[in-house]
Every structure is written in structure tokens, then in C-alpha cells.
Amino acid sequence: MITLQDKNILVTGASQGIGREIAISASKLGATVTIVGRNVKKLQETISLLSGNGHKMQAVDLSNAADIDELISQSLPYDGVIFNAGIVEYLPVKFLNESKINAVFSVNFDSNVVLSQKLIKKKLLNKKASLVFISSISSKLGVGGTAMYAASKAALISFSKVLATELAPQGIRSNSICPGIVKTAMTEQANDAASEEELKKAELEYPLGYGEPSDVAGLVMYLLSDMSKWMTGSDLIIDGGFTLK
Ligand code: NDP
């Protein structure tokens, strides 16, 4: 039986989608959760969906170093941190420019590096804490138009592996997860231009269909719990069989 009783968990990007579901699941398993994102109204909605008491929310733009400092100053040591916030940008390489590169990397990669470094330096990770980085199956593929998204998510996996080595002496674990397509606002945005027929055809590429946020949250619960105490440095694919072929 998985339990997160007495664990203090931070979830980034929890105002909607996968992050919201992770926060809900963690609270159901007994964790006290701190959720961050930019949209205060949606963060409040997430808070209202959590089980138990003592949960906190904070408006944080992770691409802003001062916001991360403020989050750190309000933090108590965590037993788990889910680095989930992310943005997507679909653009062929020939249309990229410095500001578009920076926009994606600053949220999907840089912010996670800065946040983890500050958590480490300020001793805000308890012994045996579990860090979980939400990467993407895109990091393993070469889908046209996804260069910056895929590269930022691949960088995240490498970062997580290095952290796993550096933090193992303190009993802190670091793993990443590579989801295939999960039905959230992010994928709706990507599907805006596609016809109904194209969408149906695309989902058929997934033997088990597209995922739900709860599918990813389930794996995160395992990684947060002591049941995964021997697992670190892994990058786990969860994609309904998409990459089987
Ligand atoms: P959503 O777009 O639904 O949610 C993204 C979350 O990230 C929101 O809560 C948003 O909060 C937060 N966020 C974005 N930018 C910032 C920022 N600058 N500062 C703080 N928070 C920010 O996406 P999903 O739930 O679908 O995705 C969650 C994660 O899973 C992402 O990292 C994504 O790349 C990854 N993923 C998703 C897949 C999918 O198919 N959905 C597949 C593979 C990976 P707010 O707007 O309040 O700032």
C-alpha cells in the first residue's frame, strides 16, 4: 500500500493538468502539498480539490529568479519535489531565434536547475527526499517542429541523472518520467489545427490510447513513496505503448 503520510511535497505547475492531478493524488495519500504556478485562480481551484489540511499555494513565475527566491524563503524542508511545470513550442528549426530558444529553456530546463540548486544549498531537501522531473517522450524522438521542447526535456533527464549521483550520499533520489501524449490543455493547444479525422488517426498510434493525467500521477506517487527507495537515476517511459513499434 503506497502512503505519503507526513511527507511535505512541492509540485510545480500545479494550477492545471498533470501537476494538479499529482497534487490531488499526493494529498489523498496523506502528503501536505505546496503547489506553485502563475495563475492564482487556477491554483485556488487546485487547493479546493485537495484532501486534508495544511496545503499551501504560491504564485511563482519559474522563469523569474526573484520568484524562485521568494518560494525558497517560504519553504520548509521537502520530502519530495515534482518538477512538472513546462511549456511547449512547435516550430521548425529554421524559424527559431534566441528569444524563442530562451523562452522554452528558461521554463523547461533552467528554472528546474535553479530551483534544485537553491533547495540543495538552503538544505530544504530532507534525507531520503525524492525528486521527480517530468520530461517527455519527445526527448527520445525526433519529431519535426519540437526541437527546443525535445532538447529541453532531454537536458532535464541528463540533469536528473547527474543529481542522482551527487545526492545519493545524502539518500536523496532523482528520477525522470517521459510521458507520451496525455489529455491536457497543453495537448489541446497542439491539436487545435488538426481535423477530427487526423486526431483519431493519431491516437491509433497509441495501443492503449492517449493517457490521462492520473496515469502519470500514479507513477509519480510510486516514485515519491518509500516503495521506490532503491530507484534513482532512472528515466521512465509511460506512453500507452506508443514507442513499442
Ligand atoms: P499544462 O499546460 O496543462 O500545465 C502546465 C503547467 O505548468 C501549468 O500549471 C502552468 O501554470 C505551469 N507553468 C508553465 N509555465 C510556468 C512558469 N513560467 N512558471 C510557473 N508555472 C508555469 O501542461 P501538462 O499538464 O500537459 O504538462 C505538465 C508537464 O508534463 C509539462 O512539463 C509537460 O511538458 C509535460 N508533458 C506533458 C505531456 C502531455 O501530453 N500533456 C506529455 C509529456 C510531457 P500557470 O499557467 O499557472 O503558470
Side-chain angles (χ1 to χ4, degrees):
M1 167 78 174
I2 292 186
T3 175
L4 299 181
Q5 205 62 48
D6 299 326
K7 289 192 190 285
N8 187 29
I9 306 287
L10 172 65
V11 188
T12 73
S15 55
Q16 61 180 34
I18 295 171
R20 171 178 281 180
E21 199 60 39
I22 290 169
I24 292 171
S25 300
S27 72
K28 277 188 190 151
L29 294 179
T32 306
V33 183
T34 299
I35 57 167
V36 303
R38 292 164 304 177
N39 188 319
V40 172
K41 195 162 169 275
K42 287 187 179 178
L43 286 173
Q44 283 165 342
E45 275 169 26
T46 303
I47 287 280
S48 74
L49 296 168
L50 302 183
S51 307
N53 301 312
H55 308 297
K56 292 192 293 188
M57 56 171 264
Q58 195 164 330
V60 175
D61 181 347
L62 290 159
S63 61
N64 180 335
D67 277 18
I68 296 184
D69 283 338
E70 182 60 26
L71 170 64
I72 291 288
S73 74
Q74 304 285 323
S75 290
L76 292 172
Y78 296 110
D79 302 292
V81 182
I82 317 303
F83 299 83
N84 166 77
I87 57 170
V88 74
E89 168 78 78
Y90 296 104
L91 214 54
V93 170
K94 67 179 171 184
F95 295 124
L96 288 174
N97 58 39
E98 201 178 342
S99 92
K100 289 190 190 301
I101 296 168
N102 289 341
V104 177
F105 263 82
S106 101
V107 180
N108 290 8
F109 182 69
D110 301 11
S111 72
N112 294 315
V113 175
V114 173
L115 178 57
S116 1
Q117 190 200 34
K118 293 193 169 172
L119 289 167
I120 295 165
K121 285 176 89 167
K122 296 282 179 188
K123 302 199 184 332
L124 288 170
L125 297 175
N126 282 328
K127 196 166 167 59
K128 295 193 181 166
S130 172
L131 311 182
V132 182
F133 293 87
I134 306 298
S135 176
S136 166
I137 196 68
S138 301
S139 67
K140 316 270 183 204
L141 307 173
V143 178
T146 68
M148 285 310 99
Y149 181 73
S152 65
K153 293 296 189 177
L156 204 51
I157 294 174
S158 301
F159 179 68
S160 165
K161 285 180 188 287
V162 172
L163 268 189
T165 302
E166 292 187 1
L167 299 179
Q170 295 146 59
I172 298 171
R173 303 180 292 113
S174 174
N175 293 285
S176 47
I177 296 181
C178 302
I181 292 181
V182 177
K183 289 181 261 181
T184 66
M186 181 180 275
T187 41
E188 266 170 36
Q189 171 199 334
N191 287 339
D192 271 356
S195 69
E196 200 64 23
E197 200 179 320
E198 284 169 325
L199 291 177
K200 276 194 190 132
K201 201 168 152 224
E203 187 163 3
L204 287 176
E205 297 289 318
Y206 279 69
L208 298 181
Y210 290 159
E212 304 285 344
S214 58
D215 293 316
V216 179
L219 182 53
V220 172
M221 295 308 105
Y222 169 69
L223 289 175
L224 284 176
S225 80
D226 298 341
M227 285 184 88
S228 58
K229 68 181 170 54
W230 201 48
M231 184 174 281
T232 194
S234 300
D235 55 308
L236 304 168
I237 291 176
I238 176 164
D239 69 352
F242 176 64
T243 46
L244 275 172
K245 289 170 236 150

